[in-house]
């Protein structure tokens, strides 16, 4: 709100009691996150901002909308400080479920939008998202999650600076390639320096970093981290001055363990933040968003007011936005929840920016349709790429002993390297007679620039004939299976759909999910994303998938930052050593 504007003038007039508010919430008990008190108070709103909190509010006028709280807890809207709005759902459908569950501000990263659209069209999309029933804020990526030629031109410091100049971009996003940052990578340091010059934050990613490596990352300029998986790791980050995000997600439901830092070690919660870190649609449908974090925290022994601060005032302060977000006080954004209690944390009424957007868990306002085609969000595929040729997928045999590297999944996302001796025909590795859990895996560049190939174990069994997906951290074609012909049919169908996930069994397509938005997202409803997620999970479990989060397995199989080996655009990568074991080659 611009000082001296008509909107600001009216806010002051309402605060003085000289003009009626647009909205009046009365008869409630305010959860004051500043003082830690529960106070009987009314809240008056002018435009999209709070004008008054107290027991003698300005009288309503004929056009004032009065909300009778009836003794309910009146709390600030929740803030999700670290999420990824591209886990099958898109930013629009996520906004709908977030608003209904009381999350009124969402901090999201720009990765796949930047990767597919480029920075200019990304900015157009951010402009069009301003009318949603939640307040989207963004963190700008400085690099991708899997290195490729031209990466640093696309994610240039100049592109970052243009995004950082926007009011809705609060800083730079997590840098998953953190060893490069610790080593003093100039590209990354320049991006962080530009954030500092703009008085903005730099989110971090320190998964796997030892206590000896953490100081270099903090010295490089990161201000927050969400990768602690134990109470001890949370403490080590707090002690170095990092805002420490305690994660409870579909991939890493770690909050009960992390909360031991509070409930057993007694550390201050002043610099702790709760996050869902981009959970799957299925997980959100079952456990909620920030409301679910609050339930878990309170059930784990955290004081309700402390827990509430960890999703309101604390993230607002980290973002350097506590003058406008995170609490109920004059001049703050009118993001207000009416809660029945401080145990369920499911709001009866949700007010976002002074507008009632949800009641009883139901969204009251329409969600817009975005021009994804106009943003350039649909992935492009080379129509001449011979996707149905079965020779495209098996690894090439170069070892005279027939020894081949194998990527073995030991959890949903962690792998290890082993070897298998396998026969070859015409230079191509064959799986005839090999263990049933051994599969082909190929990462096919959509423009036909190259193919990375490997063998994969621990993902499924021999019943997985062919699976193709652009849902991975490169958005190229990840193709997995036992039968190269079925793999080719699945890949060709993904190309026909313009991105998505396809499963082929007995020569026919048994599951398909179009993902035309950056190859990662469906522009449909959140409920549709949940149903597709559940069906995909069932289909893969029936073919031997042994873990709990198929979406993150697909996402991270092609990344370049998790141990131990990954299928990347450069080839089969041994992550810690940075060594390419089998480089990408031509399609045929």
């Amino acid at each position: 709100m611009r000082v001296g504007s008509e909107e600001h003038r009216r806010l002051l007039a309402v605060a003085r009691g000289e003009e009626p508010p647009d909205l009046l919430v009365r008869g409630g008990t305010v959860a004051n996150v500043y003082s830690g008190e529960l106070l009987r108070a009314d809240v008056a709103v002018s435009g999209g901002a709070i004008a008054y909190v107290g027991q003698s509010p300005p009288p309503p006028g004929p056009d004032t909308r009065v909300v009778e709280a009836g003794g309910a807890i009146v709390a600030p809207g929740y803030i999700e400080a670290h999420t990824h709005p591209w886990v099958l759902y898109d930013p629009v459908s996520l906004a709908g479920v977030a608003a209904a569950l009381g999350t009124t501000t969402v901090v999201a990263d720009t990765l796949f939008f930047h990767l597919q659209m480029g920075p200019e069209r990304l900015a157009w999309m951010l402009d069009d998202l301003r009318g949603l029933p939640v307040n989207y804020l963004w963190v700008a990526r400085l690099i991708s999650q899997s290195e490729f030629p031209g990466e640093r031109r696309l994610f240039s410091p100049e592109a970052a600076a243009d995004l950082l100049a926007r009011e809705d971009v609060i800083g730079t996003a997590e840098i998953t390639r953190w060893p490069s940052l610790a080593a003093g990578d100039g590209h990354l340091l320049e991006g962080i320096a530009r954030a500092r010059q703009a008085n903005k934050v730099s989110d971090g990613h320190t998964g796997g970093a030892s206590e000896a490596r953490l100081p270099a990352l903090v010295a490089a300029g990161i201000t927050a981290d969400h990768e602690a998986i134990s109470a001890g790791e949370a403490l080590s980050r707090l002690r170095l001055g990092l805002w420490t995000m305690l994660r409870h997600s579909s991939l890493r439901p770690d909050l009960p363990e992390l909360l031991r830092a509070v409930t057993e070690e007694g550390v201050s919660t002043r610099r702790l933040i709760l996050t869902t870190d981009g959970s799957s649609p299925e997980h959100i449908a079952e456990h909620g968003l920030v409301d679910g974090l609050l339930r878990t925290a309170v059930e784990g022994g955290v004081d309700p007011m402390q827990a509430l601060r960890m999703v309101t005032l604390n993230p607002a302060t980290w973002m350097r936005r506590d003058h406008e977000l995170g609490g109920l006080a004059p001049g703050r954004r009118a993001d207000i929840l009416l809660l029945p209690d401080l145990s369920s944390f499911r709001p009866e009424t949700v007010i976002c920016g002074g507008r009632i957007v949800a009641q009883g868990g139901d969204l009251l306002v329409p969600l817009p349709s975005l021009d994804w085609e106009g943003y350039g969000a649909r992935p492009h595929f080379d129509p001449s790429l011979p996707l149905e040729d079965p020779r495209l997928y098996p690894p090439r045999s170069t070892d005279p002993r027939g020894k081949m590297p194998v990527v073995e999944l030991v959890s949903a996302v962690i792998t290890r390297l082993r070897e298998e001796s396998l026969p070859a025909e015409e230079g191509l590795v064959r799986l005839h007679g090999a263990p049933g859990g051994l599969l082909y895996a190929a990462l096919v560049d959509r423009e036909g620039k190259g193919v990375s190939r490997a063998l994969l174990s621990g993902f499924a069994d021999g019943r997985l004939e062919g699976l193709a997906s652009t849902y991975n951290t490169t958005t190229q074609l990840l193709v997995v299976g036992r039968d190269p012909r079925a793999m080719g049919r699945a890949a060709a169908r993904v190309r026909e759909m313009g991105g998505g996930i396809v499963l082929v069994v007995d020569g026919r397509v048994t599951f398909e999910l179009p993902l035309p938005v950056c190859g990662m997202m469906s522009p449909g409803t959140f409920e549709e994303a949940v149903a597709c997620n559940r069906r995909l999970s069932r289909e893969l479990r029936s073919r031997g998938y042994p873990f709990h989060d198929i979406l993150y397995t697909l996402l991270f199989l092609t990344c370049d930052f998790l141990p131990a080996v990954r299928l990347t655009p450069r080839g089969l990568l041994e992550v810690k050593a940075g060594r390419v074991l089998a480089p990408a080659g031509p399609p045929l």
Side-chain angles (χ1 to χ4, degrees):
M1 185 184 303
R2 185 169 52 85
V3 175
S5 66
E6 173 57 26
E7 187 181 9
H8 190 235
R9 182 209 65 78
R10 175 160 162 69
L11 179 75
L12 291 174
V14 174
R16 292 192 300 261
E18 297 168 359
E19 294 187 20
D22 297 318
L23 178 73
L24 179 62
V25 179
R26 66 186 181 191
T29 300
V30 167
N32 192 307
V33 294
Y34 304 109
S35 67
E37 300 170 287
L38 293 174
L39 302 170
R40 295 290 295 184
D42 299 335
V43 181
V45 173
S46 174
I50 295 171
Y52 175 89
V53 179
Q55 295 184 1
S56 301
D63 297 323
T64 300
R65 182 160 188 181
V66 177
V67 176
E68 299 291 354
I73 303 294
V74 182
Y78 308 143
I79 299 173
E80 170 49 89
H82 179 100
T83 199
H84 310 287
W86 32 252
V87 188
L88 300 189
Y89 45 74
D90 68 3
V92 176
S93 58
L94 178 62
V97 71
L101 294 174
T103 298
T104 54
T105 292
V106 174
V107 180
D109 89 273
T110 59
L111 176 59
F112 291 110
F113 309 107
H114 193 148
L115 190 63
Q116 178 64 33
M117 303 173 188
E120 183 177 342
R121 287 179 293 185
L122 164 62
W124 299 346
M125 183 197 79
L126 300 190
D127 288 341
D128 290 346
L129 288 171
R130 286 175 168 168
L132 287 169
V134 300
N135 174 35
Y136 261 109
L137 300 174
W138 299 87
V139 281
R141 288 276 182 159
L142 299 177
I143 52 171
S144 74
Q145 292 187 154
S146 198
E147 185 178 355
F148 62 90
E151 174 192 35
R152 296 191 175 213
R153 289 193 302 274
L154 179 62
F155 292 89
S156 68
E158 293 73 25
D162 287 344
L163 288 168
L164 287 165
R166 295 178 58 98
E167 186 179 356
D168 56 355
V169 174
I170 65 159
T172 59
E174 62 179 312
I175 297 167
T176 52
R177 220 172 294 156
W178 62 260
S180 297
L181 179 62
D185 184 300
H187 176 94
L188 300 176
L189 291 176
E190 183 175 353
I192 290 174
R194 289 180 183 249
R196 280 187 167 177
Q197 290 164 7
N199 194 33
K200 296 192 174 182
V201 301
S202 290
D203 202 355
H205 174 110
T206 67
S210 66
E211 288 198 32
R213 302 293 296 276
L214 284 173
L217 294 170
V218 180
I222 66 168
T223 59
D225 179 70
H226 62 283
E227 286 293 330
I229 61 174
S230 69
E233 288 189 356
L235 280 168
S236 67
R237 284 150 177 79
L238 275 176
R239 288 166 179 161
L240 290 174
L242 287 173
W243 287 87
T244 301
M245 299 185 184
L246 308 183
R247 174 175 55 189
H248 199 71
S249 71
S250 58
L251 179 62
R252 298 281 336 185
D254 293 326
L255 191 54
E257 160 61 24
L258 294 167
L259 288 172
R260 289 179 49 243
V262 178
T263 58
E264 296 180 15
E265 301 296 331
V267 301
S268 168
T269 60
R270 191 173 63 85
R271 291 174 72 87
L272 294 178
I273 296 168
L274 306 182
T275 181
T276 61
D277 191 19
S279 287
S280 69
E282 191 173 17
H283 188 269
I284 293 170
E286 293 172 5
H287 302 285
L289 270 166
V290 176
D291 58 302
L293 300 176
L294 287 164
R295 286 190 292 276
T296 300
V298 172
E299 289 166 5
V302 177
D303 174 78
M305 185 64 74
Q306 286 184 322
L308 191 60
R309 283 177 174 141
M310 286 192 274
V311 298
T312 56
L313 184 59
N314 290 9
T317 305
W318 166 63
M319 292 187 288
R320 301 171 187 171
R321 296 290 182 95
D322 56 308
H323 61 287
E324 61 176 285
L325 296 171
L328 302 182
R332 272 60 169 185
R333 215 182 117 90
D335 296 337
I336 305 167
L337 309 181
L338 269 61
L339 304 174
D341 49 54
L342 289 178
S343 57
S344 73
F345 293 101
R346 287 193 180 272
E348 297 169 342
T349 301
V350 179
I351 299 165
C352 185
R355 178 172 58 149
I356 299 175
V357 297
Q359 281 189 317
D362 295 325
L363 193 67
L364 301 181
V365 296
L367 294 172
S369 296
L370 297 191
D371 182 14
W372 293 113
E373 292 283 348
Y375 305 140
R378 183 178 289 273
H380 178 266
F381 295 79
D382 181 349
S384 68
L385 190 60
L387 293 178
E388 296 196 74
D389 192 320
R391 297 173 299 165
L392 188 66
Y393 304 104
R396 279 45 182 158
S397 179
T398 57
D399 189 311
R401 303 167 298 165
K403 292 280 189 181
M404 294 298 301
V406 176
V407 179
E408 182 178 11
L409 278 165
V410 295
S411 75
V413 296
I414 301 301
T415 67
R416 64 185 170 205
L417 177 66
R418 64 179 178 86
E419 287 187 334
E420 286 278 354
S421 295
L422 295 167
E425 295 177 13
E426 300 179 351
L428 305 182
V429 173
R430 298 302 184 193
L431 294 182
H432 305 306
L438 210 56
L439 306 173
Y440 296 121
L443 184 64
V444 183
D445 184 273
R446 292 187 272 106
E447 301 289 344
K449 296 174 183 175
V451 182
S452 300
R453 302 174 176 92
L455 296 173
L456 179 63
S457 174
F459 181 86
D461 58 30
R463 291 170 291 173
L464 182 63
E465 296 174 23
L467 173 74
S469 173
T470 54
Y471 184 89
N472 64 78
T473 201
T474 69
T475 73
Q476 305 297 348
L477 259 173
L478 175 63
V479 193
V480 175
R482 184 87 174 180
D483 179 355
R485 295 189 182 278
M487 295 167 70
R489 181 162 187 188
R493 179 58 184 149
V494 169
R495 177 169 60 187
E496 289 173 9
M497 296 191 308
I501 304 173
V502 169
L503 179 67
V504 169
V505 178
D506 294 332
R508 61 186 182 86
V509 172
T510 60
F511 173 88
E512 65 178 35
L513 172 57
L515 299 173
V517 181
C518 303
M520 301 290 295
M521 292 159 271
S522 167
T525 67
F526 185 82
E527 291 72 22
E528 288 168 344
V530 172
C532 288
N533 185 182
R534 286 173 171 160
R535 187 178 165 207
L536 178 64
S537 296
R538 288 195 302 270
E539 291 278 1
L540 268 294
R541 278 197 299 269
S542 73
R543 285 159 183 84
Y545 175 75
F547 305 114
H548 69 288
D549 199 332
I550 181 59
L551 293 181
Y552 272 92
T553 298
L554 292 172
L555 183 70
F556 285 150
L557 195 58
T558 62
C559 74
D560 61 7
F561 59 91
L562 286 172
V565 279
R566 300 283 150 181
L567 195 61
T568 75
R570 297 164 57 199
L572 183 61
L573 176 70
E574 188 177 15
V575 173
K576 188 173 182 180
R579 180 167 62 106
V580 176
L581 302 175
L588 294 175

